């Protein structure tokens, strides 16, 4: 019975009808298989593999559904290799932007609301911190000093930093940490999914924020962090620590949303990562507020120019790159960050930050009154 079943399936007896010798060998095999429990399932499987016909396994080719090959991404060394990553662009591209839009609006409101509460708590505890600082200085003066105290050296270095430099230290540390995660091979797929922004990815919203702290290239990260460190004192003096953090985080999400819109409109899907969009906001805000400030290129310090001229040149270059489809940078994200920085310094500060009083009053009442005791009804 087992041999007849194989003959019907064309496993071994496909050649038996043409060759009598083959039929005889097949009869011997069928007789052997007719014996009960000769060698069990393993023997049946061995005969099936040895004597039968097997179709060669088909090679599965993984193609990107975006219609673009991996060569488009290889042109830039700033992004990870994603040739084998499968993207899933929506058949209705406009619907792809719905969730990112609401995420951008909601996160921006959350960032500025949290910054307002953070500033309230900082002002409330400033007096206590002042007296704690006086006490600490007095204890240091009467306590015997230790030579080569590493902690004291760190505290001395930290106290010598400006408010802006202390503020961006945490941002730089986060970028360095994420950069180290990129070096772990087992994390590559997860990093591409959550730390690169792409409207063709299944995860759309969280990468808009996480990619702001993500760099695959050491040169890319070093250049961005140097610019952020250089402009940190100016931007924090203009906005304050709390407002700066709200602007920086919101800028990262907003610039990525502009990048999404450009990619969907042009059909040029691909991953983007880096803090360039948020840093462009910082740069544009400082240049708009202090247009007569003098700037210089790091490699050519002998050539100086005004901040206003530098901002115009950057906007012109990113506009040309977005129109012409240059792939080395995400010019749409750069342009979106720069325009957001200009808008915020010109109008956004008045519309958003100066209207935070209702929220602060609600938070003050919650902190002052607290939950009512008793809870009985009158």
């Amino acid at each position: 019975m087992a041999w007849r079943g194989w003959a019907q399936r064309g496993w071994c007896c496909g050649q038996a009808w043409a060759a009598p010798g083959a039929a005889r060998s097949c009869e011997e095999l069928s007789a052997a298989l007719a014996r009960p429990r000769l060698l069990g399932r393993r023997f049946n499987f061995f005969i099936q593999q040895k004597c039968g016909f097997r179709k060669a396994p088909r090679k599965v080719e993984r193609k990107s559904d975006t219609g673009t090959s991996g060569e488009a991404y290889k042109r830039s060394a700033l992004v990870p290799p994603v040739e084998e990553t499968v993207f899933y662009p929506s058949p209705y591209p406009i619907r792809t932007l719905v969730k990112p839009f609401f995420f951008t609006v909601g996160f921006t409101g959350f960032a500025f609301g949290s910054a307002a509460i953070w500033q309230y708590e900082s002002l409330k505890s400033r007096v206590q911190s002042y007296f704690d600082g006086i006490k600490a200085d007095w204890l240091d003066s009467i306590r015997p000093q230790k030579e080569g105290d590493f902690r004291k050296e760190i505290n001395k270095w930290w106290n010598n930093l400006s408010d802006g430099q202390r503020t961006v230290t945490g941002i730089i540390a986060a970028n360095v940490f994420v950069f180290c995660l990129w070096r772990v091979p087992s994390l590559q797929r997860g990093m591409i999914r959550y730390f690169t922004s792409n409207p063709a990815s299944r995860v759309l919203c969280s990468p808009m924020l996480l990619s702001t702290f993500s760099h695959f290239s050491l040169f890319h990260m070093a250049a961005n962090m140097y610019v952020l460190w250089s402009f940190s004192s100016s931007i924090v003096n203009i906005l304050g620590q709390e407002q700066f953090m709200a602007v920086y985080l919101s800028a990262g999400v907003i610039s990525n949303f502009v990048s999404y819109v450009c990619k969907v409109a042009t059909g040029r899907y691909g991953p983007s990562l880096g803090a360039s969009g948020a840093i462009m906001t910082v740069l544009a805000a400082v240049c708009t507020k202090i247009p007569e400030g003098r700037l210089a290129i790091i490699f050519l310090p002998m050539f100086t120019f005004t901040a206003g001229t530098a901002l115009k040149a950057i906007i012109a270059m990113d506009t040309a790159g977005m129109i012409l489809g240059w792939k080395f940078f995400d010019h749409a994200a750069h342009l979106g960050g720069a325009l957001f920085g200009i808008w915020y310094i010109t109008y956004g500060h008045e519309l958003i930050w100066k209207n935070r009083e209702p929220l602060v009053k609600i938070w003050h009442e919650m902190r002052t009154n607290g939950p009512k005791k008793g809870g009985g009804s009158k």
Side-chain angles (χ1 to χ4, degrees):
M1 296 296 294
W3 179 252
R4 291 180 182 178
W6 284 355
Q8 291 176 0
R9 294 184 182 88
W11 279 97
C12 182
C13 290
Q15 297 176 349
W17 297 308
R24 186 175 302 172
S25 62
C26 289
E27 290 178 358
E28 293 175 357
L29 287 174
S30 61
L33 289 175
R35 300 172 186 173
R37 298 180 182 179
L38 179 61
L39 290 178
R41 295 180 181 178
R42 294 185 180 179
F43 182 77
N44 293 340
F45 179 76
F46 174 77
I47 295 300
Q48 177 180 347
Q49 299 293 328
K50 195 76 175 179
C51 188
F53 296 103
R54 292 191 64 194
K55 294 183 179 180
R58 297 178 60 184
K59 295 182 179 180
V60 180
E61 296 181 0
R62 303 184 65 184
K63 295 182 179 180
S64 173
D65 295 334
T66 61
T68 58
S69 63
E71 295 178 358
Y73 311 130
K74 290 181 180 179
R75 297 180 183 179
S76 176
L78 305 183
V79 297
V82 293
E83 294 85 354
E84 298 182 358
T85 302
V86 179
F87 300 123
Y88 304 88
S90 173
Y92 307 99
I94 300 301
R95 297 182 183 179
T96 305
L97 301 175
V98 175
K99 287 184 178 180
F101 172 76
F102 285 106
F103 177 78
T104 301
V105 175
F107 181 81
T108 301
F110 174 78
F112 280 96
S114 301
I117 295 175
W118 179 17
Q119 187 185 57
Y120 168 84
E121 295 293 337
S122 297
L123 292 174
K124 188 175 181 181
S125 62
R126 184 167 297 177
V127 175
Q128 184 64 35
S129 298
Y130 173 77
F131 286 109
D132 289 344
I134 294 177
K135 182 179 178 180
D137 293 339
W138 178 73
L139 289 176
D140 288 339
S141 62
I142 63 176
R143 185 184 299 149
Q145 302 295 323
K146 297 181 179 179
E147 295 294 335
D149 191 352
F150 179 74
R151 182 177 179 181
K152 181 173 178 156
E153 294 297 326
I154 294 296
N155 291 334
K156 183 179 179 180
W157 170 80
W158 180 259
N159 293 329
N160 289 333
L161 298 177
S162 65
D163 292 338
Q165 291 171 339
R166 286 197 291 265
T167 303
V168 302
T169 299
I171 298 176
I172 296 174
N175 281 267
V176 173
F177 176 73
V178 176
F179 174 79
C180 294
L181 294 181
W182 275 109
R183 312 272 77 82
V184 181
S186 60
L187 300 179
Q188 291 289 312
R189 288 186 176 273
M191 297 297 293
I192 292 174
R193 185 170 186 176
Y194 293 101
F195 286 85
T196 62
S197 60
N198 189 354
S201 175
R202 287 185 173 178
V203 183
L204 294 174
C205 295
S206 57
M208 298 174 69
L209 175 64
L210 297 178
S211 63
T212 307
F213 300 89
S214 178
H215 296 84
F216 183 76
S217 168
L218 178 61
F219 174 78
H220 189 200
M221 183 187 68
N224 281 340
M225 295 303 101
Y226 175 80
V227 175
L228 179 62
W229 182 268
S230 301
F231 285 86
S232 61
S233 299
S234 300
I235 191 64
V236 171
N237 288 336
I238 294 171
L239 300 178
Q241 183 182 21
E242 300 84 6
Q243 188 180 185
F244 160 73
M245 289 300 300
V247 170
Y248 183 85
L249 296 177
S250 301
V253 175
I254 291 172
S255 62
N256 276 312
F257 179 74
V258 175
S259 175
Y260 277 12
V261 173
C262 182
K263 291 175 181 178
V264 169
T266 60
R268 300 169 183 166
Y269 296 100
S272 299
L273 72 168
S276 302
I279 292 174
M280 284 298 299
T281 298
V282 174
L283 179 63
V286 173
C287 293
T288 303
K289 190 69 174 180
I290 315 173
E292 300 302 326
R294 306 297 298 182
L295 301 178
I297 302 176
I298 179 175
F299 301 109
L300 301 172
M302 69 289 299
F303 298 104
T304 61
F305 39 84
T306 63
T309 302
L311 181 59
K312 293 176 183 178
I314 291 173
I315 292 177
M317 183 186 68
D318 286 323
T319 303
M322 185 178 64
I323 295 174
L324 299 177
W326 297 345
K327 297 182 181 298
F328 192 75
F329 295 111
D330 190 345
H331 296 280
H334 288 193
L335 188 61
L339 294 179
F340 175 67
I342 296 172
W343 175 84
Y344 188 82
I345 289 297
T346 307
Y347 306 104
H349 177 75
E350 297 287 336
L351 294 175
I352 299 177
W353 192 249
K354 288 193 174 181
N355 292 323
R356 68 189 187 281
E357 291 185 5
L359 176 62
V360 175
K361 287 182 179 180
I362 294 175
W363 182 257
H364 174 73
E365 292 177 358
M366 293 175 58
R367 295 280 283 112
T368 302
N369 298 331
K372 295 183 179 179
K373 297 181 180 181
S377 59
K378 294 182 180 179

